[in-house]
Amino acid sequence: MKIVSIIVPCYNEEKTITLLLDAVAAQTVPHDLLEVVFADGNSTDHTVECIQRWCESHPDIDVRIVSNPKRIIPAGLNLAGHTATGEFIIRLDAHSVPNPDYVEQCLAVLAD
């Protein structure tokens, strides 16, 4: 079980998805406490391939992709949330680039 599950709905985000993944890798929280679950809405570009390629060079971060055939964000969030194993869930957008201490700050707020 992970402490934090980052869930991300995505669709055709090949141009920005690695920016998000790089930002996750830069988080100040240890990687063994994190997982990322993407709910892909059957992207027609190379989003899934970009994620898979990134994972090959970052084996220390647990990343999973679930299919979101409905292609709507709430359905994707539900699918990712059901797949997540973390005690806490953080939702991010596929084109977001959170600050390196974002997850740490979220956990601090929850602890307060």
Side-chain angles (χ1 to χ4, degrees):
M1 179 183 216
K2 302 293 183 174
I3 298 297
V4 177
S5 296
I6 298 171
I7 62 172
V8 184
C10 65
Y11 177 74
N12 287 350
E13 295 285 350
E14 72 177 340
K15 293 180 181 173
T16 60
I17 202 72
T18 57
L19 297 173
L20 168 62
L21 285 164
D22 288 342
V24 169
Q27 290 300 303
T28 55
V29 173
H31 293 169
D32 62 336
L33 302 180
L34 296 174
E35 71 177 352
V36 183
V37 181
F38 287 97
D40 180 66
N42 296 326
S43 293
T44 58
D45 66 358
H46 298 286
T47 299
V48 172
E49 292 89 344
C50 289
I51 295 168
Q52 291 169 335
R53 196 170 31 247
W54 187 91
C55 289
E56 290 172 7
S57 61
H58 297 82
D60 58 324
I61 299 179
D62 182 14
V63 177
R64 281 175 276 146
I65 304 168
V66 296
S67 178
N68 175 16
K70 291 186 179 179
R71 284 186 155 170
I72 56 174
I73 291 172
L77 292 173
N78 286 336
L79 288 166
H82 288 299
T83 301
T85 63
E87 182 178 353
F88 302 104
I89 293 178
I90 295 175
R91 183 245 203 254
L92 292 175
D93 288 316
H95 53 274
S96 64
V97 181
N99 288 331
D101 63 344
Y102 182 76
V103 172
E104 183 179 351
Q105 286 186 24
C106 288
L107 292 174
V109 168
L110 287 169
D112 285 345

